[in-house]
Each structure stands twice: as C-alpha cells, then as structure tokens.
C-alpha cells in the first residue's frame, strides 16, 4: 500500500536499544493508520493486567494516515497506552508537528517500552535514534523544556515533553507538543514513569504516494472547500468556544459550579448589556496575539492569548479552548477570562489535563462549601466557587502535587472522592475514572449514552455526539431529539465509527461538516492508490472501535462500568431552558440494551463471536464472546 513505510520504531528504554518492527500490508488494509494502527499495536503489545505505571506499559505514537500529505486539516497524531486514570484503554489525539516529523524520518509510528535508570529524552534524526541524558531538562516545565531542546538541537526538530505533573506521576498528567496538548487519560504519567522527559524528531525524507498529481488536485480542492467557508471564518475569529453563548442560553447545557447549574446565569446577569467575559466574542479580539495552527491547517482555531497589563500581565497561553472555558471557568464559578487564562497556563506548563484538573477542583470547591473539606484540608485556602485567587493557589497545588490539597486532588476526582468519602462520591463527576467535558448530558441524552459507553471514559470526542444532539442532525442522522432517550443506540454507534475513521486518517474533527467522509475519498485514493468507499471506511472504524472495547474487556471492565455520575441520574437540571431534565437509571439501562444490540454485542456489552468474525477480528474471540 502506498503512503506507508510499514516501519514502526520500537524503543526499549531499559536496554537502551531500538529496533524496527515491520507491519504487513494486510494490517494496514485493516487499520490504515493513526488510531487504527495505534489500537492494534496496543492490543498486541499490552499484556493484560499490566500496571499503567510499570515499564511494560507501551506508549504508542502513530500519526494519522493522511498526516504530512499537505491535505488541509490532516494534522492529528494518536497516542495510546494503558491509562493510569482509568486502568483501561488510554487514547489521546493531538495536532502535533512531531507526527509529521516522525513520518518524514521514515516511520509510520513508534512504540516505547521499558524504563530508563535516569531521566532521558529520545533523539531521532531520520533513522538515527539515540537515548540521551536529560538531567538538564528534568524539573523544567513542559513548554520551557521544548524551547530549550529546540534552541539546543535546531528549530527543525519537532518536540513533545512532560512537565512537573508527569515527573511526579500525577494520573491526570499530559504530554505537551509545542503547546498542543495530548491531554486526556494520563499519558504524561506513563511517560514520566519511564523517566522519559521529552522526544525530539527531525525528519528530512519523503513519503511516496500512489498518485502525486491526484494528490495535488485533492489538496487544491480541499482548500477550495475550506477557504471562505463559515467554519473557517468562525474558527479563525473565535476558536472552538465560538458557540459559548448559544450552548448556555439556547440549549441550557453548559455546566456551572460542578454541574449544580447548567447556564452561567450569574455571569450573564452581571454583564447583561455586554458579552460574558468567557465568550470568545468578547475576549478573542482583545487578547489574541496570533493564530497557532496545527500542521497543514488552513482554518486554525488555535491562538496565543496574551495579557499585556494588569494583575496577570505576562500570562501567555495557547487557547483558550471551549472545554477550558468550562473546566477552568464556569465549573469553578469564575467568569474572569484573565483568571481562566492563568489557570490554563498553570496546567499547560505543569503538563496536566485542564479538563480533569478543573473538574477535580470544582468537586473540591463544592466539598468545601458543604463543609466536607476544611481550611486545614485545603492548606488554608478559602476554596469557595468564584474565589479567583483561591482557584489559582489551589490549581498550583494540584498541578505540582503540593501540600495536603495537592495530594488529595492530583490524581483526579475519582480517587479524591474515595479518599474523602463523606458522601462526596455523589457529586464526583467521572466515568471509568475520567472527568467529563463541558456538556451537561442531562439535557443531551444521546450524549449521556455516548460518554457512558466511551472506551476511554467520559469523552466528547470518541463519538462526537454533542453535534447531532445540540443541532438535531449530523451527516446521515436527522430529527435527533436531545431530550428523548429513544433510538440513541444507532446514533451513538454511527458517531463512534465515524470518529474512528477521522482519527485513523488524522483528520481534525472541526472540519467534519466540510468533508464528512465522502469528501475525503479523493485524497485517500491519491495517497494509497485504493478506491475506498464510505461503507468500507465505516467498517474499518467499527473494527477499530470493537478492538478498543476488547482491550477494556480484557482489563476487566464490564457493563457496570458503562455508567453515569450520580448527579446525572438523580438530580434534574436546576436552571435554563433544559430545566427539569435528567437521565434516569432506567433510561440509561434501556439505552445500553439498544446500543449493545445495534453493536452486535451481548447483553453484558461483550462483542459476540459473529460480530468479531464479521469485522475480521476472529483471532480475538477468546475475550469471553459467545454466540
């Protein structure tokens, strides 16, 4: 198959040796690249029951199949591992220039196992691979580390690194790739457990594609679809939080104060004659320094946010993304965008997942207001919702695991609630150990199912179901009723298979409405020489998703893990246009039954033998499948 080398770099940090693993065309035909190959490698190289922080947990990095081709928005690289946060399938996707460099160095991906006996970084220049001493990097923050490395090695090296959170093995630590974060599921802790501080790659080679002329035509056509489009205009002007006000006022599903409210009413009342300070229509024109695109993106939503004067002068952060307007804003009862930016900067530099950190801190604020945490527990911090200085102090303790509060919060809300007890579990927001994104699923019942069954825990991107639920339609889906629990199984399955296609190709999900799957077929044919159709690609997406499910089953997860937080199933939304809605336990169980049926899984959520045979996964039938 064209567009691939079949070469996977295997690095053993224990022995200090590296080798090349060759994958067959048959494997690529079944999984293509990105998430597909990364999932296949994780299934093959992860021994069941492996401790996520042991040397044997593989850290796998695979660029999407279309990454580096010049096709616009084909920018994403997938990282897989056993998650320290969930003790199950871990996946994170990032717009990393390092992924492009890896392909240009001659590799379709890499597997890192073992543990060094001292801090090191991985140096790759084409096929020259070295494990180098990182004593001068250890202790630096994630961004500072990469600036130092690129000044030392040259600007043509592309990098990724962990910060202090990864070094201290916080289970919600992330990996930073030149101020783009591979944030979710704890990959930074896996990297830190190996004493691997950073990766630096320079690739100077070229990848051979099936039809270079057709690829040039496809690049031109894709750019024509994007240039001048409404999604491009909105992304470049306001970023991913453009619909902040609409989600609040028109749908009433923007979580506030640890999901006690679902519209930031307090902020809108305070600023009734102007935009809320969290709204990008307010802050983007005022604070944007310049745009920050992912590789080959012609509709960049990323930007550098800079505060030039006042209390937080000097704060500079990439973002601020929609999810962090929630997790580091409304979730904490804060509507000061400069404080949210400061919190964002703390997370990025420490190398900690901003969603997980924010939701965990929101839980702590509610526990403090309920009297379950005292000032002795919080190191003297008055941890009330809306207390801006307290939020900054607490986030520093969390991100650096300092003091009593840092020890309590540093590994995420599930473990914090278990330590505290006192009924705090009932307002701890997590699924499978992963904190939820910024959509109150009590008013989006299809998305409630999606985050319940998501293979990596509470995740909005595994199925992307917020889109059809909020809008009412998506690709082939129409007449979606967000407040009904009926007919959600097919909706969620479709979204999961669709998004798996995007992740295996390395496509940005913010471009989906411009391309869907049909619009990418010309580029895929130019790269591979194969005339795929939509059904073939959706079948590959389904295969990948089932393989990820099998990893979780192998690690002991059951139907009981496809759950929702207590607050979602027992406490109706209190305010806004979705007031009164919630997902009953009966509704959840009915949706699970329908979803499993549509997937071809058993009542217990295990893919059946017939399902696995249909998907070409017959070698994996020892997973407990029957029928």
């Amino acid at each position: 198959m064209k567009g691939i080398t079949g070469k996977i770099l295997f690095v053993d940090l224990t022995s200090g040796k590296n080798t090349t693993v060759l994958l067959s065309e048959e494997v690529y035909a079944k999984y293509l690249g990105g998430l597909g190959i990364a999932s296949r490698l994780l299934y093959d190289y992860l021994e069941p029951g492996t401790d996520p922080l042991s040397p044997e947990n593989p850290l796998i990095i695979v660029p999407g199949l279309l990454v580096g081709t010049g096709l616009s928005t084909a920018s994403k690289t997938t990282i897989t591992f056993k998650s320290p946060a969930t003790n199950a399938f871990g996946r994170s996707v990032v717009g990393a220039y390092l992924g492009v460099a890896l392909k240009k160095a001659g590799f379709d991906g890499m597997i890192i196992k073992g543990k060094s006996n001292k801090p090191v970084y991985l140096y790759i220049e084409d096929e020259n691979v070295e494990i180098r001493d990182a004593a001068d990097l250890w202790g630096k923050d994630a961004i500072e580390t990469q600036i130092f490395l690129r000044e030392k090695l040259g600007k043509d090296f592309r990098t990724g690194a962990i910060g202090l959170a990864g070094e201290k093995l916080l289970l919600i630590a992330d990996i930073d790739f030149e101020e783009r974060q591979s944030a979710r599921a704890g990959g930074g802790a896996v990297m830190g457990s190996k004493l691997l501080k950073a990766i630096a790659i320079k690739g100077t080679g070229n990848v051979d594609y099936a039809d270079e002329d057709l690829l040039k035509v496809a690049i031109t056509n894709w750019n024509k679809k994007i240039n001048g489009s409404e999604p491009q205009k909105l992304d470049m002007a306001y970023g991913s939080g453009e619909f902040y006000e609409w989600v609040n006022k028109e749908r009433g599903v923007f979580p506030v104060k640890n999901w006690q409210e679902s519209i930031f009413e307090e902020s809108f009342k305070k600023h009734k004659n102007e935009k809320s300070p969290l709204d990008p229509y307010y802050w983007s024109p005022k604070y944007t320094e310049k745009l920050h695109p992912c590789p080959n993106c012609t509709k960049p939503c990323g930007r550098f946010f800079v505060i030039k004067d006042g209390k937080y002068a000097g704060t500079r952060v990439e973002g601020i993304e929609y999810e962090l307007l929630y997790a580091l804003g409304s979730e904490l009862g804060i509507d000061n965008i400069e404080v949210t930016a400061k919190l964002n900067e703390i997370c990025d530099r420490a190398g900690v997942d901003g969603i997980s950190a924010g939701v965990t801190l929101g839980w702590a604020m509610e526990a403090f207001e309920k009297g379950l945490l005292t000032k002795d527990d919080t190191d003297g911090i008055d941890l009330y919702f809306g207390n801006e200085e307290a939020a900054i102090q607490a986030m520093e303790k969390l991100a650096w695991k300092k003091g009593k509060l840092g020890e309590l919060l540093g590994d995420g809300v599930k473990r914090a609630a278990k330590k505290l007890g006192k009924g705090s579990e009932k307002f701890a927001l997590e699924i499978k150990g992963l904190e939820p994104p910024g959509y109150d699923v009590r008013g989006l019942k299809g998305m409630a199912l999606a985050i319940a069954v998501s293979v990596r825990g509470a995740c909005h991107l595994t199925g992307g179901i917020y889109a059809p639920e909020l809008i009412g339609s998506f690709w082939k889906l129409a007449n979606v009723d967000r407040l009904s629990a009926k007919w959600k199984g097919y909706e969620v399955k479709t979204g999961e298979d669709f998004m798996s296609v995007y992740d295996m190709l390395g496509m940005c999900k913010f471009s989906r409405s411009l391309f869907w799957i049909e619009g990418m077929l010309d580029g895929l044919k130019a790269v591979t020489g194969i005339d795929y159709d939509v059904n073939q690609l959706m079948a590959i997406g389904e295969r990948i998703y089932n393989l990820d499910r099998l990893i979780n089953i192998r690690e002991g997860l059951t139907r009981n893990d496809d759950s929702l937080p207590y607050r979602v199933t027992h406490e109706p939304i209190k305010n806004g246009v979705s007031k009164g809605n919630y997902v009953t336990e009966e509704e959840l169980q009915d949706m699970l039954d329908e979803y499993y049926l549509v997937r071809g899984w058993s009542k217990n959520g295990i893919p059946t033998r017939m399902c696995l045979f249909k998907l070409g996964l017959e070698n994996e039938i020892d997973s407990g499948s029957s029928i």
Side-chain angles (χ1 to χ4, degrees):
M1 182 188 293
K2 292 287 187 178
I4 65 167
T5 65
K7 293 164 62 176
I8 304 295
L9 175 64
F10 184 97
V11 178
D12 185 340
L13 293 173
T14 303
S15 68
K17 296 179 180 179
N18 68 85
T19 57
T20 298
V21 177
L22 292 175
L23 298 185
S24 68
E25 283 201 12
E26 179 185 358
V27 170
Y28 277 95
K30 292 177 76 170
Y31 299 100
L32 288 183
L35 176 63
I37 297 297
S39 294
R40 183 70 255 179
L41 292 172
L42 185 65
Y43 188 93
D44 293 341
Y45 283 84
L46 175 67
E47 287 293 326
T50 297
D51 183 329
L53 298 182
S54 79
E56 297 310 306
N57 187 13
L59 184 73
I60 296 165
I61 303 176
V62 184
L65 181 65
L66 302 183
V67 168
T69 60
L71 290 163
S72 184
T73 75
S75 61
K76 303 297 182 179
T77 291
T78 296
I79 298 95
T80 58
F81 45 89
K82 185 174 181 182
S83 167
T86 68
N87 207 40
F89 175 75
R91 180 201 78 232
S92 200
V93 179
V94 60
Y97 285 91
L98 181 140
V100 178
L102 183 62
K103 292 189 79 171
K104 289 185 175 180
F107 300 105
D108 286 330
M110 64 177 162
I111 305 164
I112 304 170
K113 289 189 82 170
K115 178 180 180 179
S116 173
N117 59 10
K118 64 180 181 180
V120 294
Y121 74 94
L122 186 58
Y123 172 96
I124 301 171
E125 185 171 3
D126 293 327
E127 295 197 0
N128 177 32
V129 180
E130 300 175 24
I131 298 170
R132 294 186 171 184
D133 186 272
D136 56 347
L137 300 176
W138 204 254
K140 293 183 185 294
D141 72 42
I143 297 170
E144 181 186 19
T145 296
Q146 294 172 86
I147 292 172
F148 181 89
L149 264 182
R150 296 183 72 203
E151 287 178 348
K152 177 180 178 180
L153 302 176
K155 297 297 183 184
D156 45 359
F157 275 83
R158 311 316 301 228
T159 57
I162 58 171
L164 294 178
E167 291 181 14
K168 293 190 174 186
L169 307 185
L170 272 68
L171 303 188
I172 58 173
D174 67 24
I175 309 169
D176 187 283
F177 292 89
E178 300 176 40
E179 300 190 64
R180 284 292 197 187
Q181 291 76 38
S182 170
R184 309 237 67 194
V190 175
M191 199 160 152
S193 72
K194 298 180 181 302
L195 292 182
L196 179 62
K197 177 65 175 178
I199 303 169
I201 304 177
K202 176 181 176 182
T204 61
N206 294 308
V207 179
D208 292 328
Y209 302 118
D211 190 331
E212 297 280 357
D213 291 334
L214 180 58
L215 181 58
K216 291 175 183 177
V217 171
I219 291 169
T220 300
N221 289 339
W222 286 32
N223 285 332
K224 285 180 180 177
K225 289 179 184 178
I226 293 172
N227 292 338
S229 68
E230 194 66 13
Q232 183 191 51
K233 293 175 185 176
L234 293 175
D235 281 354
M236 293 179 70
Y238 306 111
S240 62
E242 183 273 332
F243 64 162
Y244 166 84
E245 183 173 306
W246 183 79
V247 174
N248 271 276
K249 292 183 175 180
E250 300 300 321
R251 291 295 181 264
V253 290
F254 192 73
V256 179
K257 296 182 180 178
N258 203 37
W259 294 46
Q260 293 182 86
E261 302 167 20
S262 302
I263 173 177
F264 206 172
E265 223 158 15
E266 183 181 327
S267 179
F268 287 114
K269 285 179 179 177
K270 191 193 307 184
H271 304 280
K272 60 184 177 182
N273 296 321
E274 55 190 3
K275 291 291 184 182
S276 162
L278 294 184
D279 194 328
Y281 281 81
Y282 162 77
W283 60 257
S284 185
K286 183 176 180 180
Y287 293 97
T288 297
E289 179 188 61
K290 63 179 180 178
L291 296 177
H292 181 224
C294 291
N296 291 116
C297 183
T298 55
K299 54 184 288 295
C301 61
R303 67 207 59 241
F304 285 107
F305 178 109
V306 178
I307 302 175
K308 295 181 179 179
D309 48 41
K311 187 174 184 179
Y312 302 105
T315 299
R316 183 178 186 270
V317 66
E318 204 279 350
I320 301 168
E321 303 293 342
Y322 169 86
E323 295 299 337
L324 299 187
L325 297 174
Y326 142 72
L328 305 178
S330 67
E331 169 72 1
L332 309 179
I334 289 170
D335 77 339
N336 182 338
I337 193 62
E338 293 193 355
V339 174
T340 294
K342 184 64 181 177
L343 293 168
N344 196 162
E345 184 183 54
I346 292 168
C347 289
D348 287 357
R349 288 193 171 275
V352 69
D353 176 1
I355 296 177
S356 289
V359 173
T360 302
L361 186 52
W363 167 86
M365 287 179 164
E366 183 170 349
F368 187 84
E369 290 196 349
K370 283 181 160 67
L372 306 181
L373 285 176
T374 68
K375 287 183 74 171
D376 182 60
D377 299 314
T378 64
D379 303 313
I381 299 172
D382 280 316
L383 208 54
Y384 293 107
F385 285 113
N387 187 336
E388 297 173 358
E389 281 304 305
I392 291 171
Q393 292 169 21
M395 187 60 78
E396 287 175 342
K397 288 183 175 292
L398 183 159
W400 302 332
K401 214 168 190 179
K402 289 170 55 180
K404 286 185 180 180
L405 188 62
E407 287 293 331
L408 176 65
L409 304 182
D411 290 328
V413 74
K414 181 178 181 178
R415 288 163 180 82
K418 187 175 181 180
K419 287 178 187 176
L420 180 63
K422 302 179 186 179
S424 66
E425 300 92 339
K426 288 189 175 180
F427 54 87
L429 297 160
E430 54 84 17
I431 297 170
K432 301 180 178 75
L434 192 69
E435 294 76 10
Y439 303 91
D440 191 332
V441 298
R442 290 175 292 186
L444 303 165
K445 294 191 177 182
M447 191 173 174
L449 173 63
I451 67 170
V453 300
S454 167
V455 285
R456 76 165 178 181
C459 171
H460 61 299
L461 292 173
T462 300
I465 301 303
Y466 64 92
E469 292 283 305
L470 287 169
I471 299 168
S473 62
F474 178 87
W475 194 40
K476 309 295 185 184
L477 303 172
N479 302 315
V480 176
D481 182 352
R482 67 186 179 92
L483 301 179
S484 171
K486 301 294 185 184
W487 309 111
K488 298 302 183 182
Y490 178 77
E491 177 189 343
V492 172
K493 176 189 181 297
T494 300
E496 290 167 341
D497 296 346
F498 181 101
M499 292 303 176
S500 293
V501 172
Y502 265 64
D503 285 340
M504 73 183 176
L505 297 179
M507 288 293 293
C508 174
K509 290 167 183 173
F510 289 155
S511 64
R512 58 189 180 266
S513 64
L514 291 167
F515 292 100
W516 302 122
I517 291 177
E518 296 88 336
M520 301 186 295
L521 298 179
D522 59 343
L524 185 55
K525 181 178 180 181
V527 168
T528 65
I530 300 173
D531 221 346
Y532 288 98
D533 62 30
V534 171
N535 291 333
Q536 287 173 312
L537 292 177
M538 286 291 282
I540 296 173
E542 184 177 5
R543 179 181 300 120
I544 294 167
Y545 197 84
N546 276 264
L547 188 64
D548 295 342
R549 180 76 178 193
L550 291 178
I551 292 171
N552 280 353
I553 291 167
R554 197 171 64 176
E555 295 298 335
L557 273 65
T558 69
R559 177 180 177 128
N560 291 336
D561 295 291
D562 291 344
S563 61
L564 291 169
Y566 180 90
R567 177 154 281 167
V568 171
T569 56
H570 288 79
E571 300 177 18
I573 289 175
K574 293 179 181 177
N575 66 336
V577 297
S578 294
K579 182 178 179 180
N581 283 283
Y582 69 112
V583 182
T584 68
E585 190 61 41
E586 182 182 9
E587 284 178 318
L588 173 60
Q589 296 307 317
D590 287 345
M591 288 193 292
L592 286 178
D593 285 342
E594 182 193 316
Y595 171 76
Y596 293 162
L597 183 65
V598 171
R599 274 262 175 232
W601 296 352
S602 73
K603 187 95 172 173
N604 293 321
I606 298 174
T608 62
R609 293 169 66 92
M610 287 299 294
C611 171
L612 296 181
F613 270 108
K614 182 189 80 169
L615 295 173
L617 293 171
E618 58 272 13
N619 292 331
E620 280 66 61
I621 60 172
D622 59 352
S623 62
S625 301
S626 59
I627 305 176

